[in-house]
Amino acid sequence: MVLTFVEICYIIYEINMNGLCDMTDAKNSKLGIFGRRMYETRYLHLLALPGLVYLAIFAYGPMYGVLMAFQNFRSRLGIWGSEWVGFDNFIRFFEHPHFWRLIQNTVIINVYQILFVFPIPIIFALLLNELRGRYFKRTVQTVSYLPNFISMPAIIGMMVMFLSPTDGFINQIVYFFTGNTVHFMAQPEWFRSLYIMSEIWTTMGWSAIIYIAALSGVNPELYESAVIDGARRTQMMRHISVPSIAPTIIILLLLNIGTLMNLGHEKVLLMQNPLTFSTSDVISTFVFRMGLEMLDYSFATAVSVFNSVINIGILVIANTIARKVSDTSLW
């Protein structure tokens, strides 16, 4: 019989730790128990192996590129041949005239997402859970998923068409009531509102899936007992449904807080224009311009590293608070 890689490692481990004749003592030790459990679940580890290999090659392998943040990188010299400049690139970013604008715009949009985008799927899942018509419930759930499958350029194109100051139906309504039109896509004060509203529309149904799955695992006897006690639906939602999915909510909230300084550049780039830079320019779009347009790879890498370090710090703080105030945390 051909031994798997995990089985070989387990046998080598047992031999090195205790010898061929001392297998019983090894099983009684903590490391022996760990090794035995690894052996018993070897097929599960083999199933996870392709994913681990993928992450190792495409996620962790390229991380040596962060060295460019501490260099004056030149493509012809490569990473190992470029000049080392220490923290000069970080100092350049801190002294950049747009530093505080980038930080402010990124944080404000992400805070808006936590305050407005994050709770909507929870509310939607709770309301959907109260529907008793099976077919109607499935229809609503399916329709709510659809915007998630529309490509981002198509969504922005729809926004441009709907909000057009000449023939967009939104401006037609505005003109009917006010006699004026508003160029929504060209006014900085409207950028964040449009970003958040479009984000709610595209992510509400898809993000609610995990909460719907969590609600499906709630014991039905809890609701039956509440009905017998005379509880109303709102009371059952408050005292049964919400506490049941609270761990899921806390975990996802922590993950969202952990990306407080991270905002994808794709949607922002499609929505922004020079007129809205004061509210739409965020760290990710700045990195895009510096790295791919200005070809200043070292500076762009330093900004990304700074962003990642801040996100890690925020996540650690948020997880510590969650662990102290509740029984749920990431670690």
Side-chain angles (χ1 to χ4, degrees):
M1 187 178 86
V2 179
L3 295 176
T4 65
F5 176 75
V6 176
E7 290 172 327
I8 294 173
C9 291
Y10 177 74
I11 293 173
I12 293 174
Y13 162 77
E14 293 288 3
I15 293 174
N16 290 337
M17 291 297 295
N18 301 282
L20 288 172
C21 300
D22 197 21
M23 299 289 282
T24 303
D25 293 336
K27 291 182 179 179
N28 292 330
S29 66
K30 291 183 179 180
L31 291 177
I33 294 173
F34 173 76
R36 188 169 68 253
R37 288 177 178 173
M38 291 290 292
Y39 176 78
E40 292 172 351
T41 58
R42 59 191 182 279
Y43 297 115
L44 295 178
H45 294 296
L46 287 175
L47 286 174
L49 187 60
L52 294 176
V53 172
Y54 175 86
L55 288 175
I57 295 175
F58 296 103
Y60 293 100
M63 285 184 68
Y64 73 93
V66 301
L67 295 174
M68 288 191 295
F70 306 95
Q71 296 177 324
N72 183 16
F73 178 76
R74 293 291 180 266
S75 300
R76 61 185 178 84
L77 299 177
I79 290 181
W80 303 113
S82 298
E83 177 188 2
W84 293 89
V85 296
F87 292 94
D88 288 358
N89 291 312
F90 295 91
I91 296 173
R92 281 180 58 197
F93 179 54
F94 298 150
E95 295 177 347
H96 197 278
H98 295 158
F99 174 78
W100 289 112
R101 186 182 76 177
L102 297 170
I103 299 294
Q104 179 182 1
N105 290 339
T106 303
V107 171
I108 288 177
I109 293 177
N110 275 312
V111 169
Y112 282 175
Q113 288 199 108
I114 293 174
L115 293 178
F116 300 108
V117 179
F118 180 77
I120 294 297
I122 302 173
I123 297 171
F124 177 71
L126 292 171
L127 295 176
L128 198 64
N129 188 57
E130 295 299 318
L131 294 178
R132 293 294 174 260
R134 184 175 61 178
Y135 296 106
F136 179 69
K137 181 178 179 179
R138 289 181 178 178
T139 302
V140 172
Q141 193 171 354
T142 302
V143 171
S144 69
Y145 294 163
L146 296 180
N148 181 74
F149 299 101
I150 303 176
S151 67
M152 189 58 65
I155 290 174
I156 306 305
M158 293 168 62
M159 292 175 61
V160 172
M161 291 171 55
F162 296 158
L163 300 172
S164 172
T166 55
D167 54 3
F169 83 92
I170 298 295
N171 260 306
Q172 296 291 335
I173 298 174
V174 173
Y175 182 80
F176 178 79
F177 286 102
T178 65
N180 299 308
T181 58
V182 180
H183 202 329
F184 292 99
M185 300 295 290
Q187 295 189 6
E189 60 270 21
W190 278 101
F191 178 84
R192 293 166 183 161
S193 300
L194 294 175
Y195 186 97
I196 295 301
M197 287 188 288
S198 61
E199 196 73 8
I200 291 174
W201 179 61
T202 55
T203 63
M204 179 186 70
W206 188 257
S207 299
I209 291 177
I210 190 168
Y211 301 111
I212 295 171
L215 287 169
S216 65
V218 179
N219 190 347
E221 294 180 358
L222 296 176
Y223 294 106
E224 295 172 1
S225 300
V227 170
I228 294 173
D229 292 337
R232 296 189 299 272
R233 280 194 165 188
T234 54
Q235 293 175 322
M236 289 188 289
M237 187 185 301
R238 177 182 176 185
H239 297 288
I240 298 177
S241 300
V242 173
S244 298
I245 64 173
T248 304
I249 295 174
I250 293 174
I251 293 297
L252 293 179
L253 179 60
L254 288 174
L255 294 176
N256 277 268
I257 293 176
T259 58
L260 190 64
M261 293 287 290
N262 189 29
L263 191 69
H265 67 276
E266 298 89 353
K267 185 176 180 179
V268 178
L269 283 175
L270 290 170
M271 288 183 62
Q272 75 177 185
N273 57 71
L275 296 175
T276 62
F277 267 13
S278 60
T279 57
S280 66
D281 198 18
V282 295
I283 292 177
S284 59
T285 56
F286 181 75
V287 170
F288 178 86
R289 289 200 306 275
M290 292 296 105
L292 296 182
E293 294 182 3
M294 306 299 293
L295 302 181
D296 194 346
Y297 301 117
S298 294
F299 184 50
T301 304
V303 177
S304 295
V305 170
F306 164 79
N307 198 28
S308 300
V309 170
I310 297 299
N311 278 330
I312 293 173
I314 293 173
L315 180 60
V316 170
I317 294 172
N319 187 77
T320 303
I321 296 173
R323 189 169 61 245
K324 289 183 177 180
V325 301
S326 69
D327 295 330
T328 305
S329 60
L330 290 174
W331 64 83

